[in-house]
Structure formats: structure tokens, C-alpha cells
Amino acid sequence: NRYREIDFHRKKDDLKAKVERIEYDPNRSAYVALIKYEDGMMSYIIAPGSIKSGDEIISGRNKPIKIGNCMPLSDIPAGTDIHNIELQPNGGGKLVRSAGSSAQISGIDENYCIIKLNSGEIRKIISTARATIGSVSNTSVI
């Protein structure tokens, strides 16, 4: 059994990726999704709640607000469920990665987004950091 390397950065901007399959990962509480980019490269991401094989996702600026898409916090409207949140730009997702978890954007304060975590904690994160739309899969373990 090999350890699945998860892409927490989602750096391949403006390249569509197709969800090949959703997999159980014995090392994690959440499911993982194997995605294949248009250029043929494949990687694993944390599977968002309602994503399924065949869905298309994309990363980058000014993308549709759709589950699985990854974008800067400044592009996401308040009240949207998000996960895999970066603490600083290009740092890779650090917050909200476990099964069934999500956070909401509650507002914007100059260059920062105010994020409300499941625990009730409020964090201010620079708005150029990224997050993925949706909540994390496998709510059954909560």
C-alpha cells in the first residue's frame, strides 16, 4: 500500500482537471480524489463533499464558485463553505482538511478575509491565500 501524496497547493492555474475516481485513503479521515489535468498530469486532492467521478474542476482567479474549484479568498463570496485553506499565499492548504469539516468566509477587512472555522474560531487570513470551495468529504466520521 503506497502513501498518497496530496496536492495541497493546487498550483496548476487555468487548466481544467477531471475527477478520475474517489478513493479511500487509510492514512486520512477524508476521501481523496484522483484528478487528471488537461496536460495529462495526475494528482490527488482532498475530495470535497458532493464531488464525483467525471466532474471537472479548475484552479485560478475569477473561476466559477463551484465545489472543488480552488481560488484566492478574495474571489469567494461571503457565506460560501470552503476547505483546504492556506495561511499564507503559496503555502499550501493548512486549515480545514479533515473529514466533514468546512469553514465560512464571514467578511473582508481591507486585504484580509475573516474566516469562521467549525470550532467557532475566527481567523484573519490574507485575501491572496487560496481555498477550495465546498466542505470535506466523508461526513460520516464526525
Side-chain angles (χ1 to χ4, degrees), residues 12-58:
K12 288 176 99 52
D13 284 359
D14 306 321
L15 260 189
K16 282 191 180 130
K18 191 174 178 189
V19 178
E20 296 285 307
R21 61 181 182 261
I22 308 291
E23 296 182 12
Y24 169 75
D25 184 346
N27 303 307
R28 303 181 184 282
S29 57
Y31 294 116
V32 294
L34 180 64
I35 60 173
K36 185 176 189 175
Y37 289 98
E38 287 173 313
D39 65 1
M41 195 179 136
M42 297 176 99
S43 67
Y44 282 106
I45 61 166
I46 295 176
S50 59
I51 210 162
K52 53 197 180 310
S53 298
D55 286 358
E56 277 200 342
I57 56 174
I58 193 163

Side-chain angles (χ1 to χ4, degrees), residues 4-12 35 37 41 43-46 84 93:
R4 293 166 185 81
E5 286 277 329
I6 305 292
D7 174 13
F8 292 118
H9 289 81
R10 302 280 302 271
K11 281 274 157 271
K12 288 176 99 52
I35 60 173
Y37 289 98
M41 195 179 136
S43 67
Y44 282 106
I45 61 166
I46 295 176
N84 193 34

